[in-house]
Amino acid sequence: MTRTVPRTARLLAAAAALALAGGALTGCSAHPGQAYVGSYTGLDGATRSVRVSEEDVQTASSQLSAIDGVTSDTVFSALVVLQPYDELAGRYGITVTDDDARSTLETQLGPGDYSRPTINAVRSILIQQSFSALDQDTLAQLGSDASAIKDSTTGDASPRYTLTRERWLVHGGSSSSPTMAPG
C-alpha cells in the first residue's frame, strides 16, 4: 500500500532539510574565528590587509542591537569597510573620532562601557554619513576613489554574513546604513 504525503508536509520537510544544510555550512570558513580576511589597494597604491573577527562582530552587534536598523550584517559591513573609509575620509577632510562615536552611542543608548569593535562600527557609519555632506564635485571624486578601492578589494567572508559590493557605494542623500546622529 502506497501512502501519499500531503504537499504541505513535503514542503516543510524540504525546508527543514535546507535549514539543516544551511546550518552546517554557516560554521565553515576558510579562516576559523574570522568573519572577514581580505585586502585592498589604498589610495597610495599600497596593499592593505583587513581582518574582522567573529568575536568583534558579535560583541558590537550585541551592544548595538537596540538601535533600529543595526543588524549583525550592518555591523559586519561597517567593520570591513572602516579602514578604507578612514582613508577616504582623511583625503577629503572628514574627521570622525572615537569621541564622536562614543558621544553618538551615549545619545542613542546611554552611558556605557562600549567595546573597541562597537566604537569602530559606529565610526564607520558616521564616516559614511559624513560623505553625503560633501559638495557634488567632491562627492564625484570621492565616488571615483571609493570605486578604485572597491575594485581592488579581495577577500573571504564567513558565510554567516552578507557583504555586498553595494556597501561600498558612496552617494549623496539617502544611505542604506542606519541613521545615527552625533551627540
Side-chain angles (χ1 to χ4, degrees), residues 1 35 42 51 73 96:
M1 176 174 179
R51 291 182 91 78
D73 281 338
V96 177

Side-chain angles (χ1 to χ4, degrees), residues 82 86 95-108 110-112 114-116 118-124 126-127 180-183:
L82 173 61
D86 255 343
T95 303
V96 177
T97 66
D98 288 355
D99 288 339
D100 295 331
R102 281 188 197 92
S103 177
T104 298
L105 285 162
E106 289 177 2
T107 299
Q108 299 277 328
Y114 297 105
S115 68
R116 166 59 40 202
T118 300
I119 291 167
N120 285 345
V122 171
R123 279 191 62 242
S124 181
L126 292 174
I127 290 169
M180 294 186 169

Side-chain angles (χ1 to χ4, degrees), residues 57-58 60-61 69-79 160-162:
V57 175
Q58 291 168 2
S61 295
V70 177
T71 65
S72 60
D73 281 338
T74 306
V75 170
F76 170 73
S77 295
L79 292 172
R160 287 188 178 104
Y161 305 103
T162 302

Side-chain angles (χ1 to χ4, degrees), residues 12-126:
L12 286 174
L18 284 173
L20 285 173
L25 290 175
T26 59
C28 300
S29 174
H31 306 279
Q34 298 297 310
Y36 180 80
V37 175
S39 64
Y40 70 95
T41 302
L43 297 173
D44 62 358
T47 300
R48 304 203 192 335
S49 296
V50 176
R51 291 182 91 78
V52 177
S53 74
E54 292 273 355
E55 182 180 351
D56 287 352
V57 175
Q58 291 168 2
T59 299
S61 295
S62 175
Q63 289 186 328
L64 296 171
S65 66
I67 298 175
D68 286 339
V70 177
T71 65
S72 60
D73 281 338
T74 306
V75 170
F76 170 73
S77 295
L79 292 172
V80 168
V81 299
L82 173 61
Q83 193 173 330
Y85 275 11
D86 255 343
E87 190 170 342
L88 289 164
R91 175 171 272 189
Y92 291 94
I94 295 170
T95 303
V96 177
T97 66
D98 288 355
D99 288 339
D100 295 331
R102 281 188 197 92
S103 177
T104 298
L105 285 162
E106 289 177 2
T107 299
Q108 299 277 328
L109 302 172
D113 185 22
Y114 297 105
S115 68
R116 166 59 40 202
T118 300
I119 291 167
N120 285 345
V122 171
R123 279 191 62 242
S124 181
I125 292 167
L126 292 174

